[in-house]
Amino acid sequence: MKKILIIPILLLSLVFKAQAQDDAIQKFFSNYMEDDRFSRVYISPKMMQMAGGFLKNNSENDQDAEDLGTLIQKVKGIRILSSEEVNGQELYNEAMSTLTKNKYEELMDVQDKGSSLKFMVREEGGLVRELLMLSGDKGGQFTLLSMLGAFTYEDLNMLAEKTDIPGMDSYNKGSKENN
């Protein structure tokens, strides 16, 4: 009887361990949660639903505001980790090394005089499930932005153009340069 119980417990522990290793960004984020050199921001799905609902309810026949409200409600969470007191280039390289490369597709990569900026997406079922931005430079700046949801590329373009979500200004500049 004990052997029968041990097998399912072992299988469950392997599943949970695999899931814990799956989210490299969350693990990287957790490594620096208690480090006072970093600013940390987490915006929950509920907060995004509230903001989107507020926009939709107060759009007063403004189709753009209503569309943006619907779009913001698609955001399932935003995590931001940033610092101006670290070697940003080293942290950028560390973050890149922790990623499961086959899960992310590169959208944009900018390397310029000791600074790096990269946008990547993780897609599932034809939708962008995560937009990831990493930037770092030798001057001491580092930023990681992870936005979860279910977006089309048109959604991301609208978010970049019409919101002040941190990091989306860089996405918007890059998408205009690529057109």
Side-chain angles (χ1 to χ4, degrees):
M1 181 68 175
K2 286 183 183 180
K3 288 181 183 179
I4 293 174
L5 288 174
I6 289 174
I7 292 173
I9 291 171
L10 286 174
L11 288 174
L12 281 175
S13 68
L14 288 173
V15 168
F16 288 126
K17 187 174 181 180
Q19 287 177 344
Q21 291 174 352
D22 200 31
D23 193 359
I25 296 303
Q26 180 61 39
K27 183 179 176 186
F28 183 85
F29 198 85
S30 297
N31 287 343
Y32 296 98
M33 285 295 293
E34 302 301 321
D35 191 326
D36 290 336
R37 299 174 299 164
F38 290 87
S39 296
R40 297 157 304 278
V41 176
Y42 172 70
I43 303 171
S44 73
K46 277 289 184 209
M47 185 66 176
M48 298 309 293
Q49 281 182 328
M50 286 173 48
F54 178 80
L55 268 174
K56 284 172 59 176
N57 292 337
N58 294 300
S59 63
E60 297 178 22
N61 298 325
D62 181 353
Q63 189 61 43
D64 282 347
E66 190 171 327
D67 291 346
L68 188 58
T70 301
L71 179 57
I72 287 175
Q73 288 181 315
K74 291 181 179 182
V75 177
K76 301 297 179 212
I78 299 174
R79 293 178 286 191
I80 303 168
L81 181 69
S82 65
S83 179
E84 296 180 358
E85 304 175 27
V86 295
N87 183 329
Q89 191 65 47
E90 282 182 15
L91 277 170
Y92 173 89
N93 293 336
E94 179 185 338
M96 287 302 298
S97 71
T98 64
L99 289 177
T100 309
K101 301 277 192 294
N102 61 351
K103 287 191 173 193
Y104 292 91
E105 183 178 342
E106 193 173 290
L107 290 180
M108 179 173 58
D109 183 9
V110 179
Q111 304 293 322
D112 183 38
K113 298 178 187 169
S115 69
S116 300
L117 171 69
K118 190 172 289 222
F119 277 94
M120 296 177 286
V121 292
R122 181 175 49 84
E123 290 185 54
E124 292 174 12
L127 293 173
V128 174
R129 297 298 180 170
E130 181 178 14
L131 173 69
L132 180 65
M133 181 201 74
L134 283 168
S135 69
D137 65 36
K138 292 179 182 174
Q141 293 189 355
F142 172 79
T143 303
L144 175 149
L145 170 112
S146 171
M147 184 168 55
L148 303 172
F151 314 104
T152 65
Y153 287 102
E154 290 172 353
D155 292 340
L156 292 176
N157 289 338
M158 182 187 284
L159 278 173
E161 290 175 15
K162 302 192 185 259
T163 67
D164 291 328
I165 294 175
M168 291 307 287
D169 57 337
S170 297
Y171 176 87
N172 197 22
K173 288 175 193 171
S175 64
K176 285 181 180 176
E177 289 171 5
N178 292 333
N179 288 336

